[in-house]
Amino acid sequence: MADDRIEMGMIGLGRMGGNMVKRLAQRGHTIVAWTRTRATVELAMKDGAIGAESIEDLVQRLKPPRNVWVMIPSGKPTDETIMKLRDLLQEGDLVIDGGNSNWNDSKRHAQELAEKGIHFMDCGTSGGVWGLKVGYSLMIGGEKEDFQRMEPIYRDLAPEDGYGHMGPAGAGHFVKMVHNGIEYGMLAAYGEGFEILHASEYKLDLLDVTRVWLHGSVVRSWLLELAELAFQAEGIDLEKIRGYVEDSGEGRWTVQAAIDESVPAPIITLSLLMRFASRQDDSYSAKVIAALRNQFGGHKITETTQAK
């Protein structure tokens, strides 16, 4: 409905931010978009956004109370952007961090912005490059009133029942952190299982195995659907993919949180350590994980030397 349409700025137009702008513009929201690369801003304009020349210009184009979504890499880039917004925004304005920030950083950002009367929400965002089509899972932290104020945005970004208010500032990113820790374990299990099948005496057609598992099996999942797409795209030997798997940081944070809370988490911990091992040995299970990460998140594949 027209009354539900919101004006919002979006800083960061990468794999997810750009698609989020497009999805929101398609649903009637007014989005002012900026990133460092002008050509990327112009692409967002073609998708229905209003292009800004700078962060200052973005803020000036928004009517108070302003809403600004930050969708950039965690750590220093997010810190610097939020501190710049702190100087530019006014009391009653709202900042949403939709990136993969550490939950402790989000608690600190909420406090720093609150000193000037600026509101803050942290939004753990999952969905990768598929979010434009199927929607994003949104895990949101902050004040309940701010959640209700921005709910039309969350509702239009997410599929049905795909968003929720997790608690106060930091809760959204904490839930997303654990979500990614679980993802590490699931990816590792699929990788190991497919390596056992691939190494067996039966010369199995893993694409056909995947098809069967996707129908009625207790291990069927979206990740398994993506495995099917990966095998179709790369072949079941994954010979062009080097078994090298990065970690985004959230797996490490999840393991640290488990240690801090004295919670045994051997599966997630070992899945993190196996990513470190992948950088030393070219294992087939790591190839599977690398292929799956490319399918769901558009994460870069490191190719083998023979593929170049």
Side-chain angles (χ1 to χ4, degrees), residues 18-135:
N19 281 343
M20 293 168 78
V21 167
K22 185 173 183 177
R23 186 174 172 94
L24 290 171
Q26 288 174 345
R27 287 156 177 77
H29 299 283
T30 300
I31 307 299
V32 181
W34 179 81
T35 194
R36 293 180 183 275
T37 305
R38 183 60 193 177
T40 306
V41 175
E42 291 173 356
L43 285 176
M45 292 169 66
K46 290 179 181 178
D47 288 333
I50 299 168
E53 299 289 337
S54 63
I55 293 180
E56 291 84 354
D57 183 41
L58 179 144
V59 170
Q60 290 172 2
R61 288 175 180 269
L62 296 171
K63 298 184 293 292
R66 302 171 183 86
N67 308 300
V68 182
W69 189 299
V70 178
M71 201 68 183
I72 60 178
S74 62
K76 186 177 179 181
T78 295
D79 283 342
E80 291 179 346
T81 300
I82 289 178
M83 286 302 97
K84 188 165 189 176
L85 288 170
R86 184 178 185 271
D87 294 334
L88 294 171
L89 296 176
Q90 300 173 347
E91 183 176 350
D93 292 346
L94 170 67
V95 174
I96 301 170
D97 178 6
N100 281 333
S101 292
N102 186 290
W103 61 287
N104 287 304
D105 289 344
S106 295
K107 290 170 65 177
R108 173 171 53 83
H109 291 150
Q111 294 171 353
E112 291 167 341
L113 292 174
E115 292 171 0
K116 287 194 63 177
I118 301 169
H119 301 231
F120 175 82
M121 302 200 80
D122 53 292
C123 182
T125 308
S126 180
V129 296
W130 291 82
L132 174 62
K133 180 179 179 181
V134 303

Side-chain angles (χ1 to χ4, degrees), residues 123-287:
C123 182
T125 308
S126 180
V129 296
W130 291 82
L132 174 62
K133 180 179 179 181
V134 303
Y136 302 87
S137 174
L138 305 177
M139 296 142 266
I140 304 152
E143 296 296 328
K144 187 71 172 181
E145 294 78 8
D146 292 327
F147 171 79
Q148 292 169 340
R149 162 180 163 183
M150 297 304 295
E151 192 164 4
I153 290 286
Y154 300 136
R155 183 191 62 224
D156 285 345
L157 282 174
E160 186 175 1
D161 293 327
Y163 70 96
H165 181 237
M166 302 292 108
H173 279 149
F174 186 84
V175 173
K176 176 56 163 53
M177 175 190 75
V178 176
H179 163 283
N180 279 30
I182 294 169
E183 173 194 305
Y184 275 46
M186 293 175 67
L187 287 171
Y190 278 126
E192 291 173 9
F194 280 117
E195 180 165 13
I196 294 168
L197 295 172
H198 186 260
S200 78
E201 64 182 277
Y202 294 108
K203 307 302 179 186
L204 296 162
D205 182 345
L206 299 189
L207 187 58
D208 199 43
V209 171
T210 304
R211 175 188 60 80
V212 172
W213 282 359
L214 281 171
H215 296 86
S217 164
V218 296
V219 299
R220 67 186 183 274
S221 70
W222 185 45
L223 284 177
L224 195 58
E225 292 175 18
L226 297 177
E228 182 179 45
L229 293 178
F231 289 139
Q232 288 172 345
E234 305 293 341
I236 62 173
D237 290 330
L238 304 177
E239 59 186 12
K240 293 182 179 179
I241 298 177
R242 180 185 171 199
Y244 181 103
V245 184
E246 287 285 3
D247 65 287
S248 62
E250 288 179 303
R252 301 184 189 210
W253 302 339
T254 304
V255 170
Q256 185 59 56
I259 293 170
D260 293 342
E261 301 299 334
S262 299
V263 174
I267 293 172
I268 293 174
T269 301
L270 285 174
S271 68
L272 171 64
L273 298 180
M274 288 305 296
R275 292 198 178 193
F276 300 158
S278 79
R279 298 165 203 176
Q280 299 170 345
D281 301 308
D282 195 23
S283 72
Y284 185 83
S285 64
K287 288 173 180 279

